[in-house]
Amino acid sequence: MAEDNIFREVDEELRSDRMRALWRRIAPFVIGAAVAIVAIVAVNEGWAWYSNSKSAQSSQELYAALDSANKDDLPAAQAELDTLAANGSGGYPVLAEFAKASLLAKSGDSAGAVAAYDTLANDQSNVRLRELALLQAASILVDTGTLADVETRVGSIATDDNPMRRVARELIGLAQFKAGDNEAAKASFEAVLNDPLAQDGIRNRVAYYLAAMTSNGAIAPEAPADASTAADAVDSIIQGDEVTAPASDAAPAEATTPAETTTPDAPATTTTPAAETPAAEPAAPAAGTTTPPATQ
């Protein structure tokens, strides 16, 4: 038993020595990994706080610029937007560029606004932001440009698989109407109306365009579904009443006028007892004669 205890103690000492040696080898790596994890978490939290702080500041600068624009202080708004575009955080520099282009259009510089939107469309890697810039440029060119200018910018957007196709088709339809191509404008507007995903706002606008074009004679009104006019429908109803009117609806005077009716003779086969048959009315006396008295 004593020898067993000695061997056991020696074995335990050897295992302890091995564990201490292993810990001395891996301890720096374990401690370093723990320190790295803590540092990474701290840096990430610090960067998030810094980004949020910068975004909040950029948001305040953007609202200040928009407030200046609403007060018609366009130079101050332009300067604030330039600063935000240069030093802003997150997506606020792009928003500042869009706002700057909008200010150019508001100030009457349509050409400058279109150029700014075109630059945005060429610089954007985000497809939706690029399409938004092209739509904004096309909306200005509807009034100041040509049909070709509008189609060049939004023609590729007005496809069946593009989520912005309805706005693009509306702008193309307006440009076509301005160019005098009324039938093409009608087709563009009807494509929006027939789109099952079109919202009520754009549906109402397009329906108004079509109604205005119809009222001023630019396009022909739609025929009824049965291809007959209202006058034809009324005529058919009247004719149908004349043909199908029952005999009782005819003028009753013609059926009951005494001058046109004849009293039928009494049937020859019918006999009436003398006691029950009243005496026949005497014939009316001729003029200038007297009626004899009845006999008792």
Side-chain angles (χ1 to χ4, degrees):
M1 294 295 294
E3 293 179 355
D4 292 341
N5 291 335
I6 291 173
F7 288 131
R8 187 180 301 109
E9 290 176 358
V10 171
D11 188 49
E12 290 176 355
E13 287 293 334
L14 291 174
R15 285 198 297 269
S16 298
D17 290 340
R18 293 192 194 99
M19 292 298 296
R20 282 192 292 270
L22 178 63
W23 172 250
R24 282 194 296 271
R25 288 196 300 270
I26 67 173
F29 300 102
V30 174
I31 295 172
V35 172
I37 291 173
V38 173
I40 290 172
V41 172
V43 169
N44 183 65
E45 291 297 324
W47 178 255
W49 174 85
Y50 176 77
S51 299
N52 291 334
S53 176
K54 293 290 290 182
S55 296
Q57 180 180 355
S58 298
S59 175
Q60 293 176 356
E61 292 174 357
L62 178 61
Y63 278 109
L66 295 178
D67 185 60
S68 299
N70 291 333
K71 295 178 180 177
D72 293 330
D73 190 359
L74 299 184
Q78 190 73 28
E80 292 168 349
L81 290 173
D82 288 338
T83 302
L84 179 58
N87 304 321
S89 175
Y92 286 99
V94 177
L95 294 178
E97 294 292 344
F98 273 95
K100 286 169 60 179
S102 177
L103 284 181
L104 290 174
K106 184 177 180 179
S107 64
D109 187 3
S110 299
V114 171
Y117 283 126
D118 287 343
T119 302
L120 273 171
N122 294 329
D123 294 344
Q124 288 302 312
S125 59
N126 187 302
V127 176
R128 298 301 172 229
L129 288 177
R130 176 180 179 275
E131 291 175 346
L132 178 60
L134 291 174
L135 288 171
Q136 293 288 358
S139 66
I140 298 173
L141 290 170
V142 167
D143 295 326
T144 62
T146 63
L147 174 59
D149 294 333
V150 175
E151 289 180 336
T152 299
R153 286 164 176 80
V154 298
S156 61
I157 303 176
T159 56
D160 293 337
D161 59 343
N162 195 298
M164 296 186 179
R165 61 186 178 273
R166 290 168 287 275
V167 178
R169 288 169 178 170
E170 178 187 6
L171 294 174
I172 291 175
L174 290 172
Q176 289 168 338
F177 175 72
K178 180 188 173 186
D181 194 350
N182 297 324
E183 291 301 323
K186 177 184 176 183
S188 298
F189 293 147
E190 287 180 344
V192 177
L193 284 179
N194 296 330
D195 193 326
L197 298 180
Q199 300 296 322
D200 291 339
I202 193 169
R203 282 182 181 274
N204 292 337
R205 290 198 306 272
V206 170
Y208 174 79
Y209 301 152
L210 289 172
M213 293 172 66
T214 303
S215 65
N216 63 21
I219 57 176
E222 292 291 337
D226 59 354
S228 63
T229 61
D232 293 338
V234 173
D235 291 342
S236 63
I237 293 174
I238 295 175
Q239 292 172 3
D241 289 343
E242 291 177 354
V243 171
T244 60
S248 58
D249 291 340
E254 297 179 358
T256 58
T257 303
E260 296 182 359
T261 57
T262 57
T263 304
D265 296 332
T269 59
T270 303
T271 58
T272 304
E276 297 178 0
T277 303
E281 291 293 334
T289 63
T290 59
T291 303
T295 60
Q296 297 295 329

